[in-house]
Each structure stands twice: as C-alpha cells, then as structure tokens.
Amino acid sequence: MDYLIDDGMEITLHFTLKLEDGTVVDSTKEKAPATFQYGDGNLPPGFEHPIKGMTAGQSGSFQITPEHSFGQHNPQNIQTLKRADFGDEEPEIGMVMSFADKAGTELPGVVKTIDGDRVEVDFNHPLAGRTLTFEVDVLNVTPITKH
C-alpha cells in the first residue's frame, strides 16, 4: 500500500533548499533524512503544500515564492539599537545576535551597519524576499501511530 503525503502521515525525505542562483542554503543529502509529521509546523505551509499527495520513491523540485516561505523583506524589521544594548559584546557587521522581544521570544538579528553609538540590526529572516527552490526525494510515508 503506497501512502500519499497528507494529514496524519509521517514523512521521511531528503531535501535541498537553494537560492535563485543555485546556492545551497540547507540540505539533508550528506546527513540523515528529515522525518516529520505532515502539518506539525516543522515545514512552513508553503513547503508542505507542493509535496501533498506525493508517495515514497517520488522526487520533485518546486519554486517557493517569498509569500509562501519566509515572507517579504520588511523595512520595519530593521531596528537601530544603541551600542550599550549589546552589553559587553562588541557588535560586528554580519554578526548574528539574538535579542528577546517584549514577549521574551528570542529573535535573531543580523548587524547591518555600525555608526558610532548606533547599530542597525536587521530582524528579517535571512531568506526573506527570496524565491527558493525546494527539491525533495520522498523516502517513506507512513500513517502516524498513536501511542
């Protein structure tokens, strides 16, 4: 019985995520495959949608637009902080720092510019605004067993 990828299924697959120019951003090819439950939030919905209905042994390559992956780049997500906000840590351009928002959620930000006492930090997802290529090789699809 070949199961199709859908709600209530556990999926094991290899994936490769590439930028428009073919740069590999993430891949499981050299590592263990990814196993997750369809709809559990491990994959953004934009990545789950195209693989729905696939079965073990199938492969596919999908273009995922920013709206369906990590969102558009939002200028409002670029914040100017004071050097003092970094405590003892010396900010450097390109450095990824983690900040807690008002709710205490950790938000990673990338230091964009440093101008005297002012440090500009970009809190957009590094892949925001990018169209990505999502390549998958489905290895296994099984019903989730409830214990």
Side-chain angles (χ1 to χ4, degrees), residues 62-78:
F62 310 99
Q63 294 286 104
I64 316 280
T65 59
E67 293 77 22
H68 293 105
S69 54
F70 298 101
Q72 288 293 1
H73 193 270
N74 182 349
Q76 291 178 328
N77 289 343
I78 299 174

Side-chain angles (χ1 to χ4, degrees), residues 1-146:
M1 165 84 197
D2 281 342
Y3 291 104
L4 302 182
I5 295 178
D6 203 344
D7 292 332
M9 292 291 166
E10 185 173 85
I11 303 142
T12 302
L13 52 73
H14 270 301
F15 73 87
T16 302
L17 199 57
K18 294 179 179 171
L19 299 177
E20 299 93 330
D21 65 3
T23 305
V24 173
V25 181
D26 195 7
S27 179
T28 58
K29 288 281 194 224
E30 306 301 313
K31 303 178 283 203
T35 298
F36 60 94
Q37 295 178 10
Y38 190 85
D40 69 0
N42 256 317
L43 283 183
F47 293 89
E48 283 194 335
H49 189 67
I51 66 171
K52 185 172 181 166
M54 290 177 77
T55 183
Q58 284 191 314
S59 300
S61 178
F62 310 99
Q63 294 286 104
I64 316 280
T65 59
E67 293 77 22
H68 293 105
S69 54
F70 298 101
Q72 288 293 1
H73 193 270
N74 182 349
Q76 291 178 328
N77 289 343
I78 299 174
Q79 309 272 325
T80 302
L81 304 174
K82 294 186 187 69
R83 197 179 271 265
D85 294 336
F86 291 83
D88 297 336
E89 215 165 343
E90 197 51 43
E92 290 171 38
I93 290 175
M95 192 168 156
V96 177
M97 313 245 348
S98 200
F99 298 90
D101 65 11
K102 290 181 186 71
T105 311
E106 289 283 309
L107 279 180
V110 180
V111 176
K112 283 292 191 207
T113 62
I114 301 171
D115 182 15
D117 192 39
R118 296 171 45 169
V119 181
E120 195 178 64
V121 181
D122 186 348
F123 288 101
N124 284 291
H125 189 284
L127 297 175
R130 310 295 292 258
T131 294
L132 304 169
T133 300
F134 182 51
E135 296 173 354
V136 295
D137 296 314
V138 181
L139 305 178
N140 201 6
V141 181
T142 55
I144 296 165
T145 48
K146 303 272 189 255

